[in-house]
Amino acid sequence: MVLKLSDGTLFQSKALIGENVCESSSGSRVEVLDPATSQVLGTVPEMDSTDTQVAISEAAKALPIWRDIPAGARSELLLTWYQLVLDASEDLATLITAECGKPKVESLGEVAYAASFLKWYAEEATRAYGDIIPPHQPDKRLLVIKQPVGVAAAITPWNFPAAMILRKVAAAFAAGCTMVVKPAPQTPFTALALGVLAGRAGIPAGVLNIVTGSINSSLEIGSTICKSPTVRALSFTGSTKAGISLAEQAASTVKKVSLELGGNASFIVFDDADIEEAVKGALAAKFRNSGQTCVCANRFFVQEKIHDRFVEQLTAAVKVLRVGPGNVADVTVGPLIDARAYKKVKGLVDDAIHCGAKIEAEGDIGAMTGNFFPPTVLTAVNSKMRLAHEEIFGPVAPIFKFKNEADVIRLANDTEFGLASYFYSKDINRCFRVAEAIECGMVGINTGMLSTAAAPFGGVKSSGVGREGGRYGLDEYQELKYICLGGMT
Ligand code: SIN
């Protein structure tokens, strides 16, 4: 083991299926790299369709056991797991930083965020109320009950190796479902450590199954999940292209599908905004996780009168960001996940510059090479550039100038995506007007951070369907059953 953990048993390098930790049926394993150094952190089983089918069977076997545990007892188990995750914060954060590259302080924040879903859904498990409906005939009584959908599956991304798993798993478990989780090939160790903690919390074997794979075998695993009639719900976070393919395949077995896909968030600063606050929000919304979150600000729109002042202040703030490996103290921006991500971000910046964009700030990356990309601020950008339409997923802030409210709403909505949007204004009337007019699933007003376990996370248009988090997140894992009781006297 390359990593030093205070609890070495959290470094699990075998998959979790039923009551066993296991190798792939083919015996093949795949390397996991540290994005900061490209060093091998370890290997995990490269599983395929056969292994995935075994995991689905184990989840199906465990379903009646888990479903029949009363909600209060299931809730207690989730709370025990929650506490164990918090107790292991340091080790989990070390794993997250090692596999995904984000600064340690952000990884610690992610562990707390991830754990909060266990607490939220532990509480929500006991409140999955049904309804009694006024009957349409005097001898009838009408009831609606909520039941677990059955075996569920989660396919999760590398940018939040813990939070995107627990956001899905906690809701599924609260609803009474069992689950097969396929973590991103880049970040399996955090997932497997969460699996170890689930076992210690007393979650019965087979309730949580973790199938690891490579980039190549991921397609096969995803396809097996989609085509399995046993899997009744799929929750996916990742690219729009992959989401469409999974939804198409899942259609063949008519399962519930929730998709949290790409974004192209607008970040609007109106003339009446508090500029200092807007700059703080911009740093959070753009540079967190090196710009690699689905809700990252992708396009900044700043009103003419304050444009230059905002650019000046943001530029000054970006120049002092410290780029480096996430495990070094004081680092605020880590590497991109891999060489492919670097190439994509570089391509978008090159295209913008070629089309006339001006670099206002380019962070200092010192002697670092590989996947490190300098935090960058661009002005003189326009809607013909690729970065106006494509998700950057890197630490690059393009700033567009706009004239008035009507113009900026049109510009903000000129995208196929609709996940998050942010704006800064002190005018309460404008706050409601703009929030209602922007086509997206989530709006941050005078804040650059909107995620919380208590609120519904999700998008519209090509950004996805369904919601995670909040009381709405349970719906993805429940079926409504209507019961009509007749012959009442
Ligand atoms: C994401 O990037 O998909 C998740 C971000 C968050 O939950 O804040």
Side-chain angles (χ1 to χ4, degrees), residues 336 338-348 373:
L336 295 179
D338 55 24
R340 206 170 67 149
Y342 181 96
K343 194 169 160 211
K344 185 197 163 191
V345 178
K346 177 92 173 66
L348 290 175
F373 199 93

Side-chain angles (χ1 to χ4, degrees), residues 288-364:
R288 181 165 75 108
N289 202 12
S290 302
Q292 301 172 109
T293 85
C294 302
V295 289
C296 265
N298 211 56
R299 298 164 297 153
F300 287 81
F301 295 103
V302 183
Q303 203 160 2
E304 279 174 338
K305 209 167 90 191
I306 55 152
H307 175 271
D308 292 354
R309 263 194 298 151
F310 178 83
V311 170
E312 194 184 312
Q313 291 190 27
L314 182 64
T315 298
V318 166
K319 281 186 177 156
V320 298
L321 291 174
R322 175 133 191 255
V323 182
N327 57 7
V328 171
D330 298 340
V331 158
T332 44
V333 178
L336 295 179
I337 189 71
D338 55 24
R340 206 170 67 149
Y342 181 96
K343 194 169 160 211
K344 185 197 163 191
V345 178
K346 177 92 173 66
L348 290 175
V349 172
D350 288 349
D351 168 75
I353 289 165
H354 178 73
C355 299
K358 178 173 169 229
I359 298 182
E360 297 285 347
E362 193 170 40
D364 182 11

Side-chain angles (χ1 to χ4, degrees), residues 107-125:
S107 297
L108 284 166
E110 181 182 341
V111 176
Y113 177 48
S116 72
F117 288 100
L118 289 173
K119 181 155 189 288
W120 174 270
Y121 282 109
E123 289 160 357
E124 211 56 20

